[in-house]
């Protein structure tokens, strides 16, 4: 598991047209990696995330995505993701194919992917319109009871990208706090990139902590503040005020595009991005 | 005591919770209601947020469903797949709270689109945890500000099942939960008729007339034989709620220092 | 979640004929609870455990079991479980119906039970004779790919019994170290009994630790040394020498019966049992 | 250098491991072989025990598959279901070690019963992790002391699949792993013939004749075109192994104080 820079990791491991999952549920969202994908102008990605959040709003608005698998697409506690809506409602900047799940369904699809099973089973998608609009949802009969259950097609991203607190020099990665389906998304992927707040000689004895062993991780990247404006428990808090401000920035195509140009495209890397935000604050 | 409709709704919803019920909590009004109940008459409530925080006791309301506050005050934090399989689907949730953009007379909910799915007029956030909360929680409470555009004759999309087409259809379905036992709105509450499952007016806030209620609902609203009066928030309830909201506002506006890259 | 004594918990929550799982993989095996079941003469139990270990050897030899679901029935690193063998080979003290899985299969059956799904799926039971001797193993076709997979019937014990390090006064239980399928077995059960080394006012902040919330647990029992001769990480070590000695004790029906009479039936409780072993040592 | 057959087997098996291979380790000879390799030429080996201990580096050999030593020295400890689904079934294991009571010429294994299943002459421990290790590990190594009762024409029960009926049957099956690439016995090694998959003599320990090998195997043993000689354990290998075994014996005999109830 080599230690890479972020531009190197994205440059070599994320390809045009890939199915890419940036996971982390509210917590540990890999914003820096998403911005680097935007900087490197990756296109036609099939993005997967339970909650697209601001990072996918930005990637979709910047034209990175041809498709989106997701289960809840809002700005949590604030309102709409305006760029996601604009793509779905007005095909701006390009059409976006949706593959829409419930949380339980998408979680089951990641779990199946992590276990290399072709499908996951749940008692879900009961008497609603979701299954009818998602061909990745079917029915399966229990071979013992005959009972009908929902089946979801496994999701195996080409690349999963996570942010985590700590890696050691061998590349073992430790995650602390709310984890969502990040671990399953990583274990389901062909390649795994993890950006981390710090790299230590050796992780603290883990016992039952959440660890991705080094041989599961393709590249580890030291990237302090890499989850901002999401957060890294023990390092910095979620910038709830920024999430609220994003509602205004993202409403208008021009304001959005200017913001992205200034704060992402014209910044060299994540450090410069954060410096720019601090200067503007 | 003067209060806003949101406060009245929140207090009315909080009063529905009791003892050590296990509540699956969503962001917004449900989160305020559950925490208000926990901070007043029901200190033993167990709150679960879908982010995997179990038995959480936040001192301020979270903005997102996964704020660090929820993890720090939780009994434990489990991966999200487990919340849905080992807790919700396993039948371990007593009360699920749901919101929606649209509800119909049988308590079915739309949080997906206004307009056709493939060419929506308004794209809404989507399902999240709602469809399976609606199916598996022993009962659900829906919180929704009522207008003729939110309480509709026909949903544009059914994201989460309530009583389906009514008349016992849900009881005959595969969903184990009892369904939406109450719709808490900004004029009072609706509850399903015991025979046909149609949501009808069961209780009113003080100072609201039945006609005002009917005007806010897009289907011909029936009234229960006995429409109860929901007592206004007490000074004590309001004090706790406003204190919580004030702490929350301060916390969410408190500048977070942008980390050094 | 009430705090009970062990005889009260077994007396009220374990019934004649129940399906009972005492879990804990090598670590945290609830020996004290198993002994109490023997003392209270529960019969016709359907025992479930991945690795029957010495505790089921004892329960089977004492006539508690009519059936056994398991995946590996040896004395780890030592050899046979002689009482299990005697039951299967010679129906002594009574016939024992086997429901035999692989580890992967039994783990999937517990997981399905914990999720209240009627079956679990795995890529297992491939080209071997196991499925042919276990009606709880069938095939299921992936509804997306048509691929054939193994399906195992969910296991939902009437009672699951665990040993753990710590509970707090509300009954939240914390497990530390090797956990096996203990958590899934507990979550799959109708009733859950946990014996613990200590009860504290409040558990240390858990974050991602393994915790059973109090409302999942039916009864918590303070029972120090309750896993001996298995172990409780942080409290006492596995008595590997005892596991080796058990090979001799259990070989002969009379020696076994004498040992059980002296050390289990004629001891009042687990404390007396341990006192007796210490005196004999 | 004088050594026991077990030591020769253990050293021969250890030499098959290299680099940072991920090994799924069983108790007994495999555990000794893997840890010997880790302590000598392959310090980066990743050892997984089915108890959920991942990347473990024990200083003494465990007696059981779940000794506390394994947890204390592990990179992490995961629940057992995850070991099998997220690691083994997911194809993340390079080498699986298996033992057996019986093996046939195509490397199929029996660890279940001698005699009929429903009325066994000898009830063996059963499957454990073996069937799925045999299916999913990229390759497996089998360690077994050879006799005509362990290396048999026909298994009493097939617990874990090797090459099935040979002649490419396994490659056509659903099992993703390559199957048993080596059988390490107390006289040398057998390996599958590239065409028909039959295990044939591929290498001999020093001082063992082909006839001795044939006599220890219950099927007519064929020899590879080139039967290699396995160099005896070096003094260095033996020293490390015996040191490990000595530490282990001492640890397992060390009296554990019985806890106070």
């Amino acid at each position: 598991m080599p230690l890479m820079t972020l531009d190197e990791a994205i440059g070599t491991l994320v390809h045009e047209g890939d199915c890419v999952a940036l996971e982390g549920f509210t917590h540990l969202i890999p914003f820096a990696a998403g911005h680097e994908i935007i900087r490197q102008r990756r296109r036609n990605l099939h993005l997967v995330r339970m909650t697209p959040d601001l990072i996918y709003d930005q990637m979709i608005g910047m034209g990175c995505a041809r498709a989106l698998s997701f289960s809840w697409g809002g700005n949590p506690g604030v309102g709409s993701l305006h760029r996601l809506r604009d793509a779905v409602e007005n095909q701006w900047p390009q059409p976006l194919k949706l593959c829409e799940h419930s949380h339980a369904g998408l979680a089951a699809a990641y779990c199946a992917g992590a276990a290399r099973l072709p499908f996951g089973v749940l008692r879900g998608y009961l008497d609603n319109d979701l299954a009818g609009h998602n061909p990745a949802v079917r029915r399966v009969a229990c071979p013992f009871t005959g009972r009908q259950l929902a089946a979801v097609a496994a999701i195996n991203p080409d690349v999963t990208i996570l942010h985590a607190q700590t890696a050691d020099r061998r590349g073992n990665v430790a995650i602390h706090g709310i984890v969502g389906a990040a671990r399953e998304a990583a274990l389901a992927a062909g390649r795994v990139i993890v950006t981390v707040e710090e790299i230590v000689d050796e992780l603290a004895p883990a016992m039952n902590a959440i660890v991705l062993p080094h041989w599961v991780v393709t590249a580890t990247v030291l990237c302090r503040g890499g989850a901002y404006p999401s957060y890294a428990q023990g390092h910095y808090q979620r910038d709830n005020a920024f999430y609220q401000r994003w509602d205004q920035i993202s409403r208008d195509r021009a304001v959005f595009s200017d913001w992205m140009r200034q704060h992402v495209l014209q910044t060299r890397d994540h450090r410069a991005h954060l410096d720019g935000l601090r200067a503007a604050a | 005591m003067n209060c806003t409709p949101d406060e009245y709704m929140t207090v009315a919803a909080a009063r529905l919770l009791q003892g050590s019920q296990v509540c699956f909590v969503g962001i917004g009004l449900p989160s305020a209601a559950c925490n208000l109940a926990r901070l007043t008459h029901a200190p033993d409530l167990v709150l679960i947020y879908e982010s995997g925080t179990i038995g959480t006791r936040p001192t301020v309301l979270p903005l997102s469903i996964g704020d660090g506050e929820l993890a720090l005050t939780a009994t434990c934090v489990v991966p999200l797949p487990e919340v849905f399989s080992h807790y919700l689907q396993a039948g371990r949730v007593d009360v699920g709270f749901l919101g929606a953009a649209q509800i119909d007379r049988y308590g079915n909910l739309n949080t997906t689109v206004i307009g056709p799915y493939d060419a929506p007029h308004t794209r809404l956030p989507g399902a999240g945890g709602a469809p399976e909360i609606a199916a598996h929680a022993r009962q659900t409470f829906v919180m929704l500000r009522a207008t003729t555009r939110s309480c509709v004759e026909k949903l544009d999309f059914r994201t989460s099942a309530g009583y389906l087409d009514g008349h016992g259809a849900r009881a005959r379905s595969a969903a184990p939960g009892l369904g939406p036992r109450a719709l808490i709105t900004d004029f009072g509450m609706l509850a399903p008729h015991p025979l046909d499952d149609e949501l009808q007016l069961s209780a009113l806030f003080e100072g609201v007339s039945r006609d005002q209620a009917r005007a806010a609902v897009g289907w011909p609203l029936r009234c229960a034989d006995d429409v109860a009066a929901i007592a206004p928030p007490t000074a004590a309830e309001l004090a706790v709620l406003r204190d919580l909201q004030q702490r929350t506002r301060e916390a969410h506006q408190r500048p977070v220092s942008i980390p050094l890259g």
Side-chain angles (χ1 to χ4, degrees), chain A, chain B:
Chain A
M1 187 295 318
L3 187 65
M4 291 191 187
T5 62
L6 185 53
D7 63 341
E8 195 184 353
I10 301 298
T12 56
L13 298 173
V14 180
H15 310 136
E16 179 95 11
D18 271 356
C19 177
V20 182
L22 280 69
E23 267 299 344
F25 197 81
T26 309
H27 181 213
L28 293 172
I29 299 176
F31 270 87
H35 289 166
E36 185 59 27
I37 289 172
I38 293 170
R39 275 188 209 102
Q40 296 197 18
R41 302 277 184 191
R42 286 295 178 284
R43 300 276 165 177
N44 285 315
L45 301 179
H46 174 180
L47 297 178
V48 187
R49 236 186 98 70
M50 301 199 69
T51 59
D53 206 86
L54 273 49
I55 188 61
Y56 277 16
D57 210 36
Q58 296 174 355
M59 292 171 75
I60 290 164
M62 293 300 284
C64 298
R66 67 179 153 88
L68 174 68
S69 292
F70 77 112
S71 45
W72 191 82
N75 181 345
V78 179
S80 291
L81 293 175
H82 297 290
R83 295 299 96 224
L84 167 56
R85 281 187 58 178
D86 205 10
V88 174
E89 295 170 10
N90 309 302
Q91 294 76 53
W92 190 92
Q94 65 187 60
L96 183 69
K97 186 176 149 49
L98 296 184
C99 176
E100 184 164 4
H101 277 287
S102 66
H103 278 349
L106 186 45
Y110 272 142
C111 288
R116 297 302 187 277
L117 292 172
F119 70 106
V121 179
L122 68 158
R123 288 161 55 204
Y125 297 100
L126 294 169
D127 299 303
N128 61 44
D129 294 337
L130 287 161
H133 289 88
N134 185 346
V137 180
R138 293 189 181 169
R139 299 282 150 187
V140 66
C142 170
F144 300 97
T145 61
R147 187 163 164 189
Q148 290 288 317
L149 299 147
V152 290
I155 293 180
N156 289 101
D158 295 310
V159 196
T160 288
I161 307 178
L162 304 185
H163 188 71
Q165 283 96 342
T166 317
D168 67 17
R169 303 223 167 270
R170 300 204 59 190
N172 298 300
V173 170
I175 300 175
H176 187 63
I178 289 172
V179 66
R183 216 176 37 129
E184 289 76 14
L187 291 169
R191 303 183 289 282
V192 177
I193 303 171
V194 186
T195 58
V196 296
E197 291 293 327
E198 58 172 356
I199 293 181
V200 299
D201 284 338
E202 193 138 9
L203 293 179
M207 203 66 84
N208 307 110
I210 303 172
V211 172
L212 291 175
H214 63 87
W215 41 285
V216 164
V217 179
T218 318
T220 307
V221 174
L222 177 61
C223 183
R224 289 204 292 161
Y228 176 88
S230 166
Y231 71 109
Q233 193 100 41
H235 290 262
Y236 46 91
Q237 288 184 283
R238 189 172 192 269
D239 194 345
N240 283 331
F242 183 87
Y243 272 81
Q244 289 165 321
R245 276 206 305 282
W246 182 253
D247 190 66
Q248 286 308 314
I249 297 168
S250 61
R251 258 175 209 278
D252 182 86
R253 291 176 186 172
V255 176
F256 164 77
S257 300
D258 283 351
W259 193 93
M260 292 302 293
R261 193 174 311 116
Q262 182 188 344
H263 287 289
V264 179
L265 292 182
Q266 294 177 352
T267 55
R268 194 180 60 256
D269 57 16
H270 192 62
R271 175 184 295 241
H273 165 76
L274 294 178
D275 287 346
L277 291 178
R278 247 193 325 275
Chain B
M1 184 103 199
N2 272 336
C3 69
T4 69
D6 274 9
E7 287 172 337
Y8 213 141
M9 286 173 75
T10 304
V11 168
R15 289 178 189 155
L16 298 176
L17 302 171
Q18 50 196 319
S20 55
Q21 285 178 323
V22 178
C23 306
F24 203 107
V25 188
I27 286 305
L29 293 176
S31 179
C34 290
N35 281 291
L36 174 60
R38 188 177 60 80
L39 294 170
T40 53
H41 65 281
D44 291 335
L45 285 183
V46 176
L47 307 191
I48 298 182
Y49 289 74
E50 65 194 14
S51 55
T53 54
I54 300 216
T56 191
R57 286 163 294 182
T59 53
V60 302
L61 297 175
L63 179 68
S64 84
I65 204 102
D67 282 18
E69 173 79 5
L70 296 175
L72 286 170
T73 62
T75 303
C76 59
V77 179
V78 304
L80 182 139
E82 285 178 23
V83 178
F84 283 93
S85 60
H86 291 176
Y87 289 90
L88 182 63
Q89 184 171 274
R92 299 187 186 281
V93 171
D94 296 311
V95 179
F97 270 95
L98 298 170
Q102 291 181 332
I103 187 170
D104 69 16
R105 70 177 70 193
Y106 294 118
N108 303 297
L109 304 176
N110 174 18
T111 54
T112 302
V113 284
I114 305 296
Y117 183 81
D118 290 319
H121 174 257
T122 304
R123 175 64 226 195
L124 304 167
E132 282 75 28
I133 295 172
H136 292 285
R138 228 152 275 156
Q139 57 180 324
T140 56
F141 298 140
V142 183
M143 297 185 77
L144 181 68
R145 294 170 197 112
T147 71
T148 51
R149 290 173 60 195
S150 64
C151 298
V152 298
E153 275 281 0
K154 191 170 163 27
L155 301 180
D156 290 41
F157 188 99
R158 188 197 287 167
T159 313
S160 303
Y163 295 103
L164 306 170
D165 298 321
H167 306 276
R170 182 190 175 98
R172 294 186 296 274
S173 79
L178 289 175
R181 303 311 295 164
L183 166 62
I184 301 117
T185 77
D186 44 1
F187 61 73
M189 275 200 262
L190 277 60
H193 186 280
L195 291 181
D196 67 8
D197 300 327
E198 183 175 310
L199 296 178
Q200 54 178 15
L201 186 67
S202 61
L204 282 171
F205 291 167
E206 193 170 70
V208 183
S209 71
R210 293 183 183 205
D211 280 346
Q212 284 174 299
R214 285 192 194 99
V217 171
W219 67 82
L221 182 66
R222 295 182 343 209
C223 296
D225 293 341
D226 187 19
V227 174
I230 300 176
T234 65
E237 286 168 331
L238 271 187
V240 173
L241 176 58
R242 287 175 179 173
D243 197 43
L244 176 64
Q245 300 281 22
Q246 180 58 28
R247 282 202 304 278
T248 298
R249 259 190 307 274
E250 284 167 14
H252 292 177
Q253 286 308 324
R254 198 172 300 142
V256 167
S257 66
I258 297 168
L260 293 163

